[in-house]
């Protein structure tokens, strides 16, 4: 079962599963024929097998009871399939009779009744009719359709203009797999933005802390190392991680009235400049977030930053998690500050039997 942005998960999953079964997985239709009809040429030409696999996943997922989350590839293909079915509905007078089975109709009646009870502005019949209008589905099921602008977004970014991304809050990295292969190959880390690359690096560090012995570097004689040592270790990790990626890393960079721990720079695009500030959990975490890092961002043109909280004990970790939950801001500065935890707590060694 695919998790859609609606209360009526079962109804819409049933509908799409039946659509896919009748139109594609009927034992007679060639999946490739449908792919060529609904998708852009570059996509099915370069990533044909992935397109087939994705459509198969949509079919299987809508038919089981587990909750599945779609990625950009799933969303794009499902949207195109809905568009295709919408055109088919306009062409076939008997579409509703043919493509909505008894189970779908029962679930639609139940969902319509619930909608009517919550919103009596429309009649029960009008609520029910909306479930039979395929062109209405994208408005209900997708929180956004930014993937339809992927060519415009990329081309504008290539020209140095990311105004659309900024104004709409679009993360172009999310749609990376929808780009032509030759463009993807230009970005070895599979991230277009430096922010995405930093996020990937932090994920790598988190995995090494959790599953490896990296955390041992942050302890000395049973005591946590100083912040300066944390910076030094992370600087070396970043140097290695961003090797040959044209990323300039400056430690203890002067900005405004103070020094930020790290300043990363890639090119002239605004989101290719990132600040990183590290704070031990036992220190003034709130002040560093609300005042210090915000001031650094205001004094520069850097719109993206990472605030890393170093935790060495369970108590520090719990307090930091609480801090993150309680400090979600929506103003233009802190909206682009990503808070992450550096979990330096000691791990228990596996017992030897």
């Amino acid at each position: 079962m695919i998790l859609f942005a609606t209360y009526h998960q079962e109804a819409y999953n049933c509908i799409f599963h039946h659509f896919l079964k009748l139109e594609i997985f009927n034992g007679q239709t060639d999946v490739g024929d449908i792919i060529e009809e609904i998708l852009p040429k570059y996509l099915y030409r370069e990533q044909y097998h992935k397109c087939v696999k994705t459509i198969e996943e949509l079919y299987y997922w809508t038919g089981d009871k587990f909750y599945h989350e779609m990625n950009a590839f799933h969303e794009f293909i499902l949207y195109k399939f809905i568009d295709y079915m919408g055109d088919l509905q306009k062409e076939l007078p008997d579409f509703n009779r043919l493509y909505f089975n008894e189970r779908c109709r029962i679930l639609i009646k139940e969902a319509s009744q619930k909608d009517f009870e919550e919103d009596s502005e429309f009649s029960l019949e009008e609520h029910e009719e909306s479930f039979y209008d395929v062109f209405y589905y994208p408005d209900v099921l997708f929180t956004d359709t930014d993937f339809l602008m992927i060519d415009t977004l990329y081309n504008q970014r290539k020209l140095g203009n990311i105004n659309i991304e900024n104004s709409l809050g679009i993360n172009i990295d999310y749609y990376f797999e929808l780009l032509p292969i030759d463009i993807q190959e230009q970005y070895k880390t599979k991230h277009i933005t430096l922010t995405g690359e930093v996020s990937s690096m932090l994920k790598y560090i988190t995995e090494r802390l959790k599953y490896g012995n990296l955390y041992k570097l942050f302890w000395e004689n049973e005591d946590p190392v100083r912040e300066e040592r944390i910076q030094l270790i992370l600087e070396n990790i970043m140097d290695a991680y961003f090797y040959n990626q044209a990323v300039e890393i400056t430690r203890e960079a002067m900005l405004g009235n103070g020094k930020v721990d790290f300043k990363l720079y890639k090119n002239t695009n605004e989101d290719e400049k990132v600040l990183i500030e590290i704070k031990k959990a036992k220190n003034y975490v709130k002040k560093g977030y609300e005042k210090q890092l915000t001031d650094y961002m205001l004094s520069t043109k850097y719109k993206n930053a990472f605030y890393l909280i170093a935790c060495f004990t369970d108590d520090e970790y719990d307090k930091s998690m609480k801090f993150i939950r309680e400090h979600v801001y929506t103003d233009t500065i802190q909206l682009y500050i990503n808070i992450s935890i550096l979990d330096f707590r000691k791990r228990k060694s596996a017992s030897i039997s």
Side-chain angles (χ1 to χ4, degrees), residues 308-348:
L308 309 182
I309 307 174
C311 300
F312 291 88
T313 67
D314 291 341
D315 183 58
E316 289 178 355
Y317 183 87
D318 293 339
K319 287 181 178 178
S320 297
M321 289 298 294
K322 184 174 183 291
F323 172 81
I324 292 174
R325 287 193 298 269
E326 294 177 352
H327 289 76
V328 179
Y329 293 90
T330 56
D331 62 76
T332 55
I333 293 295
Q334 287 160 329
L335 178 65
Y336 298 102
I337 296 180
N338 305 273
I339 313 176
S340 296
I341 289 179
L342 295 173
D343 187 1
F344 297 146
R345 291 176 296 174
K346 289 184 177 180
R347 272 59 171 175
K348 293 181 180 179

Side-chain angles (χ1 to χ4, degrees), residues 189 191 194-205 241:
T189 62
H191 294 97
L194 182 56
T195 303
E197 291 183 354
V198 173
S199 294
S200 181
M201 178 200 67
L202 291 175
K203 182 179 179 181
Y204 168 77
I205 291 175
Y241 191 89

Side-chain angles (χ1 to χ4, degrees), residues 205-216 218-219 222 311-314 317 341-351:
I205 291 175
T206 298
E207 290 176 350
R208 300 316 303 158
L209 288 170
K210 185 175 182 179
Y211 302 111
N213 295 320
L214 182 60
Y215 71 92
K216 292 183 178 181
F218 299 92
W219 289 84
E222 299 300 316
C311 300
F312 291 88
T313 67
D314 291 341
Y317 183 87
I341 289 179
L342 295 173
D343 187 1
F344 297 146
R345 291 176 296 174
K346 289 184 177 180
R347 272 59 171 175
K348 293 181 180 179
S349 300
S351 59

